[in-house]
């Protein structure tokens, strides 16, 4: 009778399981307890902790959270539950090793202004294809061919600032970084369109942080109109290039990279990405330059050392009989000036953090990051962690004399979406510093301690200065 009994029990178990199975999801069937959420508070419903974030320096908000809850904590901002991560390991997890589990995410209004098909918003095959084309235009070999054109723009920019009171240094430098961006996108051919592009782009960006209400007269409406006009100018440029049918390969600019691909992009995809690159390239580089000008004025010994390094570059060119314009090799032989740039990127951390969204439930360090939650790697907190960078508020370029540990210095991000423009940005900054330090001196005119966020960190009022010849 025993085998019969066994069979009966098995049958009973089978029936119970079959009846209950609709209620047992595949996850619950495996006996893993549900992981806890990261520590932290979610604040009020909907508004969450948005007020706390915006009512004070956001970095103080983040830093106090990190102190209280550790390197990974939850909060609630603008209606979205978020997990903030501020250790190098967690940043690596989100940006590099598990980047496929965290997609980029932006407010819908920003997508509409830059264009839905711009590189930042994508993941997967379309993103890889775009990234390949963008990297091709900004790899060292391509940037190398731009050195003297960038240098000419730097010289013009400084000349235009000479001998007068500059109310807003950032605005002047934005013209420079805009011109460099156009040069790297179009080469020298399309300079005829420079002023039109500039006019439209400046209207477009005014709407960037406005309320996304598309009614006649609103900033948002005007900027959407400017966005359409930009599209038309770009279509004209594309049409002219196609007519001329010149050898794309001879040109190292972004537009020929986009147009020269076998499975080429549509006009709309090209337009969205050109506007996207201008957006990524301009305010970032201009605000880093603004911070460098401030830190150099406040640290005369560093300024003196940079000036000596740059004068040595001029001298070595004189000795070798190759006077005149900078070469790519010259720019690769400016170690101290390069450390000043790195230290500025660290202290100022102009991109305080970036945004991702979990595409499924993800486990990290014994915590659950639920699907759909935002995930923010906090670059600034990593850069200002005293265990990684002792006396983090101190501007000290010599800390970069030794190599940094992986994922502790993330000024250009890391992984799938890291900055493809970093070589160009560095060249642009070096070229301007070369002429600035060897020919000019400046004094700071405004309040010295304020910081503005718009959205990149910036010295208050864009740093008013007076610039004069040495
Ligand atoms: C000093 C100036 C710059 C800084 C600090 C900077 C920083 C960054 C960072 C941190 C990211 C990654 C954001 C993320 O992971 O969410 C990024 C992405 C990007 N940057 Fe830059 N950037 C600078 C200049 C430039 C320039 C000059 C260009 C253009 C030539 C550029 C083009 C881009 C593009 C296209 C992306 C998106 C890449 C992708 O999604 O795959 N950036 N930048
Ligand atoms: C990016 O991540 C990789 C892998 O962890 C690491 O080797 C590299 O040093 C990181 N880059 C930076 C800038 O930290």
């Amino acid at each position: 009778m025993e085998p019969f009994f066994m069979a009966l029990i098995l049958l009973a178990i089978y029936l119970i399981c079959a009846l209950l199975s609709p209620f047992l999801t595949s996850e619950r069937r495996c006996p893993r307890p549900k992981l806890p959420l990261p520590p932290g508070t979610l604040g009020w419903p909907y508004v969450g902790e948005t007020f706390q974030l915006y009512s004070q320096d956001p970095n103080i908000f983040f830093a106090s959270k990190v102190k209280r809850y550790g390197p990974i904590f939850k909060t609630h901002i603008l209606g979205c539950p978020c997990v903030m991560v501020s250790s190098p390991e967690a940043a690596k997890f989100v940006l590099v090793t598990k980047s496929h589990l965290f997609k980029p995410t932006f407010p819908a209004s920003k997508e509409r202004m830059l264009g839905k098909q711009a590189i930042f918003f994508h993941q997967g095959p379309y993103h890889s294809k775009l990234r390949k084309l963008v990297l091709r235009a900004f790899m060292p070999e391509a940037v190398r061919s731009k050195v003297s054109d960038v240098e000419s723009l730097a010289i013009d920019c400084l000349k235009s600032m000479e001998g007068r009171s500059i109310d807003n240094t950032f605005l002047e430098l934005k013209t420079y970084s805009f011109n460099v961006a156009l040069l790297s996108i179009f080469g020298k051919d399309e300079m005829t369109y420079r002023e039109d592009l500039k006019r439209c782009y400046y209207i477009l960006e005014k709407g960037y942080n406005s309320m996304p209400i598309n009614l006649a007269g609103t900033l948002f409406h005007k900027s959407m109109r400017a966005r359409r006009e930009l599209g038309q100018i770009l279509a004209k440029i594309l049409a002219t290039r196609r007519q001329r049918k010149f050898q794309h390969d001879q040109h190292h600019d972004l537009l020929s990279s986009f147009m020269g691909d076998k499975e080429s992009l549509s006009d709309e995809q090209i337009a969205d990405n050109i506007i996207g690159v201008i957006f990524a390239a301009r305010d970032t580089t201009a605000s880093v330059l603004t911070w460098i000008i401030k830190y150099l004025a406040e640290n005369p010994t560093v300024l003196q050392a940079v000036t000596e390094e740059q004068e040595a570059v001029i001298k070595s060119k004189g000795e070798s009989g190759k006077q005149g314009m900078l070469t790519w090799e010259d720019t690769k032989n400016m170690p101290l000036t390069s450390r000043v740039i790195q230290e500025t990127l660290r202290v100022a951390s102009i991109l305080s953090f970036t945004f991702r969204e979990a595409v499924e439930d993800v486990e990290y360090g014994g915590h659950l990051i639920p699907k759909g939650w935002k995930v923010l790697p906090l670059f600034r907190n990593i850069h200002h962690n005293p265990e990684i960078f002792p006396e983090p508020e101190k501007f000290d370029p010599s800390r970069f004399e030794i190599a940094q540990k992986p994922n502790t210095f993330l000024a250009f991000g890391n992984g799938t979406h890291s900055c493809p423009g970093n070589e160009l940005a560095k060249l642009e900054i070096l070229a301007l510093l070369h002429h600035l330090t060897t020919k000019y001196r400046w004094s700071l005119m405004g309040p010295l301690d304020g910081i503005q966020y718009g959205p990149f960190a910036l010295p208050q009022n864009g740093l008013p200065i007076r610039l004069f010849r040495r």
Side-chain angles (χ1 to χ4, degrees):
M1 276 296 149
E2 277 210 341
F4 178 68
F5 235 97
M6 284 291 283
L8 210 69
I9 289 168
L10 284 174
L11 184 72
I13 291 173
Y14 173 80
L15 281 174
I16 290 167
C17 287
L19 279 171
L20 285 180
S21 69
F23 305 103
L24 297 169
T25 67
S26 57
E27 279 165 43
R28 284 190 196 125
R29 203 176 295 160
C30 64
R32 198 178 67 184
K34 208 163 156 70
L35 290 162
L37 291 168
T41 50
L42 290 175
W44 298 80
Y46 189 72
V47 287
E49 299 187 298
T50 311
F51 289 135
Q52 282 95 318
L53 173 64
Y54 284 99
S55 64
Q56 54 183 322
D57 179 340
N59 304 308
I60 296 176
F61 173 81
F62 293 147
S64 70
K65 289 280 187 183
V66 173
K67 214 169 179 176
R68 187 138 166 222
Y69 300 114
I72 150 162
F73 61 89
K74 66 174 180 294
T75 181
H76 207 165
I77 285 169
L78 290 174
C80 305
C82 325
V83 173
M84 309 227 167
V85 303
S86 73
S87 68
E89 297 72 32
K92 173 179 157 186
F93 181 80
V94 173
L95 300 172
V96 188
T97 29
K98 297 288 175 194
S99 64
H100 58 290
L101 300 178
F102 300 96
K103 65 173 185 190
T105 166
F106 288 81
S109 61
K110 298 205 157 95
E111 262 186 51
R112 268 166 79 188
M113 304 196 60
L114 296 175
K116 281 193 166 38
Q117 317 213 52
I119 183 166
F120 329 96
F121 309 132
H122 293 270
Q123 211 193 8
Y126 176 66
H127 176 260
S128 317
K129 171 174 158 176
L130 278 175
R131 198 163 161 89
K132 199 186 82 206
L133 300 177
V134 172
L135 282 169
R136 187 161 77 187
F138 295 113
M139 65 185 176
E141 280 85 294
V143 172
R144 178 189 195 115
S145 69
K146 301 270 186 271
V147 177
S148 38
D149 291 328
V150 171
E151 188 185 7
S152 302
L153 291 171
I155 294 170
D156 292 348
C157 167
L158 290 167
K159 272 202 188 119
S160 78
M161 291 168 69
E162 194 177 314
R164 58 187 177 95
S165 285
I166 311 293
D167 296 333
N168 188 325
T169 305
F170 176 61
L171 277 188
E172 309 281 334
L173 293 168
K174 259 165 65 155
T175 303
Y176 171 54
S177 54
F178 187 80
N179 291 339
V180 174
L182 290 195
L183 177 78
S184 66
I185 294 168
F186 301 112
K188 283 207 279 195
D189 300 333
E190 270 80 22
M191 282 309 137
T192 33
Y193 292 102
R194 197 199 265 178
E195 292 311 312
D196 282 339
L197 290 169
K198 189 180 284 175
R199 179 178 50 77
C200 293
Y201 190 82
Y202 277 60
I203 301 172
L204 175 69
E205 73 163 357
K206 278 208 188 106
Y208 187 75
N209 287 316
S210 68
M211 298 276 281
I213 302 167
N214 206 354
L215 288 176
T218 61
L219 273 180
F220 190 77
H221 184 79
K222 283 186 191 140
S223 79
M224 292 312 284
R225 205 170 51 200
R227 176 68 183 73
R228 274 195 300 280
E229 202 182 332
L230 273 174
Q232 287 156 5
I233 300 172
L234 293 171
K236 230 186 282 175
I237 296 175
L238 286 173
T240 326
R241 278 218 182 184
R242 285 201 183 102
Q243 259 172 10
R244 272 187 285 151
K245 282 213 183 69
F246 54 64
Q247 275 286 298
H248 292 306
D249 311 11
Q250 291 171 356
H251 289 251
H252 289 292
D253 54 59
L254 182 67
L255 186 56
S256 45
S257 183
F258 282 161
M259 292 176 74
D261 193 46
K262 281 186 289 297
E263 344 118 66
S264 68
L265 304 173
S266 73
D267 285 12
E268 204 182 304
Q269 289 172 332
I270 293 179
D272 288 3
N273 281 289
I274 285 179
I275 294 167
V277 165
I278 298 176
F279 171 77
R282 194 192 55 164
D283 288 21
T284 46
T285 316
S287 59
V288 173
L289 268 168
T290 309
W291 283 108
I292 297 181
I293 291 175
K294 178 174 192 284
Y295 294 143
L296 287 179
E298 290 172 349
N299 296 274
T301 39
V302 179
L303 172 59
Q304 182 56 30
V306 170
T307 308
E308 279 162 22
E309 178 171 273
Q310 295 301 330
E311 281 172 338
V313 170
I314 298 177
K315 195 153 163 265
S316 75
K317 296 169 79 69
E319 276 160 10
S320 64
K322 286 182 292 186
Q323 251 158 341
M325 303 297 274
L326 286 174
T327 62
W328 177 249
E329 286 68 31
D330 292 333
T331 67
K332 291 289 160 198
N333 195 16
M334 301 176 171
L336 175 69
T337 316
S338 300
R339 289 197 291 272
V340 167
I341 299 173
Q342 287 177 301
E343 178 67 343
T344 302
L345 287 165
R346 183 194 69 80
V347 179
S349 291
I350 58 152
L351 264 87
S352 300
F353 55 85
T354 188
F355 275 100
R356 296 289 189 273
E357 184 182 310
V359 298
E360 56 183 69
D361 281 1
V362 185
E363 179 191 339
Y364 178 74
H367 294 294
L368 173 71
I369 303 176
K371 177 180 176 181
W373 281 38
K374 307 286 181 208
V375 179
L376 283 69
L378 303 181
F379 298 141
R380 180 174 246 274
N381 290 79
I382 297 174
H383 295 162
H384 284 248
N385 180 340
E387 279 157 32
I388 304 173
F389 296 101
E391 292 187 74
E393 304 312 314
K394 193 170 148 201
F395 179 80
D396 176 11
S398 75
R399 43 173 117 235
F400 283 94
E401 280 165 18
I402 45 169
Q404 294 309 314
K405 296 202 182 77
N407 299 297
T408 55
F409 179 63
L410 294 172
F412 292 107
N414 201 1
T416 335
H417 287 274
S418 68
C419 183
N422 73 86
E423 280 291 337
L424 179 69
K426 284 184 258 182
L427 167 67
E428 192 176 339
I429 297 171
L430 288 169
L432 195 110
L433 290 180
H434 176 73
H435 291 278
L436 178 70
T437 58
T438 53
K439 298 193 190 121
Y440 297 91
R441 281 297 173 265
W442 57 99
S443 33
L444 306 181
M445 309 303 283
L448 293 183
D449 292 326
I451 301 184
Q452 238 166 269
Y453 295 89
F456 304 114
L458 192 69
Q460 192 167 354
N461 303 334
L463 195 74
I465 63 166
R466 249 196 96 80
L467 184 74
F468 43 88
R469 285 253 165 193
R470 278 175 89 190

